[in-house]
Amino acid sequence: MIDPVISTSAALALSVIFASAASHKLRHPSWFRRQVHEYELIPGLMVPAAARTLPIAELVIAAGLLWSISRPYAGVLAFLMICVYALAIEINLARGRKDIDCGCSGPAMRQPLQPALLARNLLLAIIALVALLPMLDRPLSLHDNFVMIAAGVVLVLLYTATDLWIANRPLLLKLSGEK
């Protein structure tokens, strides 16, 4: 059993991350369709349907994580989707396809596939599992609510900083003369 503050903080952070991911895919559907196609994991005829379905699934997951009654289902779906995305990255890395954009940060920031993305997804999967843990049954105070929101925001900011570091790592290495 886990304290509800920890579980809810994890669920809030994942909800924001999934809603943000869905947002850039829905705002730029042709870009995302190209991203799905570039992974070369599904037949070409299924790419448009997958590109329309994935962001909707992400929004459903984001919403489901916000309510305790739907959180177990949304948490399992979040965990599975994170694992599927990690598998897609791993398959393309194994194929030697490091030149394609992961599609993680939207069209404004190209992010080539790299092993660091797998580590990031592992951390997201752990956060999803934390959101799934059974919670202690205890009343929540106003202070608890503040802590849950603050912790959720901190997790989102850490995710964003990590994502920016991963996206800019090749440039930083190049500028430092290491690569």
Side-chain angles (χ1 to χ4, degrees):
M1 301 280 271
I2 191 169
D3 192 281
V5 170
I6 296 169
S7 179
T8 303
S9 298
L12 286 172
L14 276 179
S15 179
V16 170
I17 291 166
F18 270 91
S20 174
S23 171
H24 71 253
K25 292 169 185 158
L26 290 170
R27 285 183 288 128
H28 305 282
S30 60
W31 165 83
F32 184 59
R33 193 170 38 257
R34 277 192 311 276
Q35 294 309 117
V36 172
H37 177 72
E38 283 185 14
Y39 272 82
E40 296 179 359
L41 293 173
I42 59 176
L45 292 173
M46 294 177 65
V47 167
R52 282 190 303 272
T53 304
L54 286 170
I56 293 168
E58 289 174 341
L59 282 179
V60 169
I61 290 168
L65 287 165
L66 296 176
W67 288 277
S68 58
I69 194 153
S70 58
R71 186 173 302 150
Y73 307 106
V76 168
L77 292 174
F79 177 79
L80 292 173
M81 186 167 276
I82 292 164
C83 290
V84 166
Y85 287 162
L87 181 63
I89 292 168
E90 176 58 36
I91 288 170
N92 276 282
L93 285 173
R95 291 175 176 170
R97 301 188 70 230
K98 296 178 181 182
D99 57 321
I100 64 173
D101 181 11
C102 79
C104 306
S105 303
M109 185 169 49
R110 182 169 163 67
Q111 191 168 357
L113 296 185
Q114 53 187 301
L117 293 170
L118 297 173
R120 182 206 60 193
N121 279 23
L122 174 63
L123 292 173
L124 285 175
I126 291 169
I127 292 171
L129 291 175
V130 168
L132 283 171
L133 291 173
M135 294 186 286
L136 294 170
D137 188 22
R138 73 167 183 86
L140 294 174
S141 68
L142 183 60
H143 178 261
D144 288 331
N145 290 325
F146 172 77
V147 170
M148 287 185 294
I149 292 169
V153 168
V154 167
L155 285 171
V156 169
L157 290 174
L158 285 171
Y159 170 82
T160 304
T162 301
D163 206 39
L164 286 169
W165 176 77
I166 292 170
N168 290 302
R169 187 169 176 264
L171 177 61
L172 294 171
L173 289 172
K174 187 177 179 181
L175 289 173
S176 71
E178 291 185 36
K179 192 171 183 184

